Amino acid sequence: MSYRYKIATIFLLGFFIDCINIFMSAIALPDIAQVFSTSQSMVAWVANSYILGLVLIMPISLWLAGRFGNQKLLCFSMLLFSISALLCGLSYSIYSLIFWRFIQGISGGLLIPVGQALVFALFPNKERHRISTMIMTVALIAPAFSPALGGMIIDSLSWRWVFYANLPFSLLAAALAWLWINNSERQRREKPDVFGLLLVTVSLLLLLLSFSLYNDYHNLSLAIGSLFFSAIIFAFYIKYAQKCAAPILNFQLLRNSNLRNAFIVYYAVPGVFTGVNLLNIFNLQTNLHFNAGQTGMFMLLYAAGALVSMVSGGYLYHHIGKKRLFFIGILLHSIGIALLFTVSSRTDLIQLVIAYLLMGAGGGIAANTAQISSLLDFSGKDLLQGSVLWNINRQVAFSVGTVVLISIFSLVSAQSDLLRYQYTFFIAAILSLLSLIFILREKSA
């Protein structure tokens, strides 16, 4: 195997680990909530803390690679990932699990940007479509099969083995990184804006905490206070970034309509779906009495819908344009969510199947179109800054979508728990549709 394909193998393995780690663990959340006697809002931090770790480390990962070398950084990051995965499985309180998930996010966030930079350098120009195809394949296969696999692991063993299952892959990635990556010399790279990164991370943390403070402790004053300080810190960062020569996140780029609309679509579609999916995992297992394995199988339907849309997405983009694609994707996605409103028993299987197929098809169209168009107008330094901003936003959208939908669920009043889920799904469908207000205002392109 040539050197560049060895590097591609390491990166794709790490990317696969990251994907299955996010989607497989989601199936375990009802069992984790039951074992630790905690709420949906609190157990959502098992995912949120992982994403916070990614957000904190990703912008400085390339600088760390230059300082310590690619070989050492990638090997040690996968070793740390393995240790944290083991300790996640051994956790005997929700707080220790959340902490080790945060460490897992930090270690996982080191491999993706550094590995991608190495691979893209080895597959330049016209050859890059080869690795891009491999990345998209992993991005589709991992979310499709990991929930079903995770469900079977939980039904056969326990939720702890969802985290232990990461160990063979992460240890293999660590070994391959040590054996295959050239021991490169340290490279001098521009020191990242650590202060700006801390401001953004604290602002995001306070934003997510504001929802938890209300949902878990029903303390409106603390929730509003946390939200207020989040906004103040973010506003301070915006002022600070305008004077900074190399801000960690350049929000000025959002003046570009392509990037701005892609941001909106990602919150309205993948973000909303993440919250809907988490709530429906609880709903399917608690109210409709599906087991974890059966619940995970529904993501296969989502992936099937997404596969069709992704295969045709590039062709349709150039023939009917992104505005129409956004409209079609958001509409299909919203109809799929709205169908969940009609599901009240296990016998409503046809509605569930159609709902996940539509959410997958619509989500695939919208997300793929956002991915294609987001950085279309950028080059040079703006492209690098835009790439960082876009990839951070993708992760944040998942957390924000989750906490917002859980908050809506906690506010909904109904005669039964099942009706609360149904009303929440109906509201989620409307929220997704509201993004069309911004999309349709744009001039056709």
Side-chain angles (χ1 to χ4, degrees):
M1 187 186 296
S2 65
Y3 179 70
R4 66 176 184 170
Y5 278 102
K6 287 181 178 180
I7 300 302
T9 300
I10 296 169
F11 168 66
L12 290 171
L13 180 58
F15 185 57
F16 174 78
I17 292 168
D18 183 59
C19 288
I20 64 169
N21 188 56
I22 292 174
F23 289 93
M24 188 184 290
S25 61
I27 295 295
L29 295 183
D31 286 70
I32 294 171
Q34 183 178 16
V35 167
F36 293 131
S37 300
T38 192
S39 66
Q40 291 176 346
S41 179
M42 180 62 74
V43 84
W45 279 94
V46 174
N48 289 340
S49 60
Y50 181 85
I51 291 172
L52 274 172
L54 288 175
V55 170
L56 179 63
I57 205 68
M58 283 178 70
I60 63 172
S61 57
L62 291 176
W63 176 76
L64 289 172
R67 186 173 179 83
F68 297 105
N70 295 319
Q71 181 197 47
K72 290 181 179 178
L73 186 72
L74 294 184
C75 178
F76 292 153
S77 71
M78 283 294 95
L79 288 176
L80 179 60
F81 187 96
S82 303
I83 292 169
S84 56
L86 175 64
L87 292 172
C88 281
L90 294 172
S91 296
Y92 280 89
S93 78
I94 188 64
Y95 300 105
S96 63
L97 176 57
I98 289 170
F99 173 77
W100 289 115
R101 283 286 285 172
F102 176 73
I103 301 301
Q104 232 188 347
I106 289 177
S107 53
L110 286 169
L111 187 142
I112 303 303
V114 176
Q116 181 172 284
L118 281 173
V119 169
F120 279 9
L122 294 169
F123 288 83
N125 303 322
K126 294 181 179 180
E127 293 184 315
R128 192 164 294 177
H129 77 275
R130 298 180 188 175
I131 194 65
S132 296
T133 301
M134 294 179 189
I135 293 171
M136 288 302 295
T137 301
V138 172
L140 183 63
I141 290 175
F145 290 96
S146 55
L149 179 59
M152 288 187 285
I153 289 172
I154 294 165
D155 291 335
S156 302
L157 299 167
S158 77
W159 65 266
R160 299 181 186 277
W161 283 90
V162 166
F163 298 104
Y164 298 151
N166 287 294
L167 292 173
F169 300 106
S170 56
L171 290 172
L172 176 61
L176 293 180
W178 187 260
L179 293 171
W180 284 355
I181 298 177
N182 290 338
N183 190 15
S184 57
E185 297 180 0
R186 297 180 181 182
Q187 299 176 7
R188 302 191 71 177
R189 289 191 171 112
E190 185 178 4
K191 190 174 181 179
D193 176 24
V194 177
F195 179 67
L197 177 61
L198 289 175
L199 287 176
V200 172
T201 305
V202 171
S203 176
L204 175 60
L205 176 61
L206 289 173
L207 172 66
L208 297 177
L209 274 175
S210 66
F211 289 96
S212 290
L213 288 169
Y214 181 76
N215 294 330
D216 291 325
Y217 302 104
H218 308 292
N219 194 319
L220 184 59
S221 299
L222 280 178
I224 292 174
S226 181
L227 185 63
F228 174 77
F229 282 110
S230 172
I232 291 295
I233 293 172
F234 185 72
F236 177 77
Y237 172 77
I238 295 297
K239 291 288 185 183
Y240 165 82
Q242 291 174 351
K243 301 176 183 178
C244 183
I248 200 75
L249 294 176
N250 186 2
F251 287 100
Q252 298 296 318
L253 297 178
L254 288 176
R255 292 176 178 175
N256 178 271
S257 62
N258 274 329
L259 182 58
R260 185 172 61 250
N261 285 330
F263 261 56
I264 294 169
V265 168
Y266 231 85
Y267 282 96
V269 181
V272 167
F273 173 75
T274 305
V276 166
N277 188 48
L278 174 61
L279 288 174
N280 205 37
I281 286 171
F282 278 89
N283 182 42
L284 290 172
Q285 295 187 39
T286 305
N287 295 315
L288 305 185
H289 309 296
F290 287 94
N291 62 33
Q294 292 167 337
T295 302
M297 292 296 288
F298 286 107
M299 277 301 293
L300 290 173
L301 298 171
Y302 181 91
L307 175 62
V308 174
S309 62
M310 285 183 179
V311 169
S312 59
Y315 173 82
L316 293 174
Y317 184 88
H318 295 291
H319 284 78
I320 68 175
K322 63 181 177 62
K323 185 176 179 180
R324 291 188 180 92
L325 278 177
F326 277 145
F327 179 82
I328 294 169
I330 293 169
L331 184 62
L332 290 176
H333 180 256
S334 300
I335 293 172
I337 296 174
L339 272 177
L340 295 176
F341 176 77
T342 68
V343 177
S344 57
S345 72
R346 287 174 62 99
T347 58
D348 297 326
L349 196 58
I350 293 177
Q351 290 101 302
L352 273 170
V353 169
I354 296 173
Y356 272 88
L357 285 172
L358 287 176
M359 287 189 291
I365 290 171
N368 195 43
T369 305
Q371 180 72 49
I372 293 171
S373 63
S374 59
L375 304 175
L376 201 60
D377 303 322
F378 299 114
S379 60
K381 184 179 180 180
D382 284 348
L383 178 60
L384 293 175
Q385 291 184 334
S387 179
V388 172
L389 189 62
W390 172 245
N391 282 292
I392 293 294
N393 175 73
R394 290 174 60 190
Q395 303 295 336
V396 172
F398 300 144
S399 286
V400 171
T402 299
V403 297
V404 168
L405 265 295
I406 289 175
S407 297
I408 292 172
F409 176 77
S410 68
L411 290 170
V412 169
S413 177
Q415 295 177 342
S416 69
D417 202 37
L418 176 60
L419 277 174
R420 290 178 68 199
Y421 282 106
Q422 290 175 319
Y423 291 152
T424 303
F425 296 145
F426 186 76
I427 294 170
I430 294 173
L431 287 176
S432 185
L433 279 175
L434 286 176
S435 62
L436 288 175
I437 296 172
F438 301 95
I439 303 303
L440 296 177
R441 288 172 56 188
E442 182 194 358
K443 294 179 179 179
S444 297

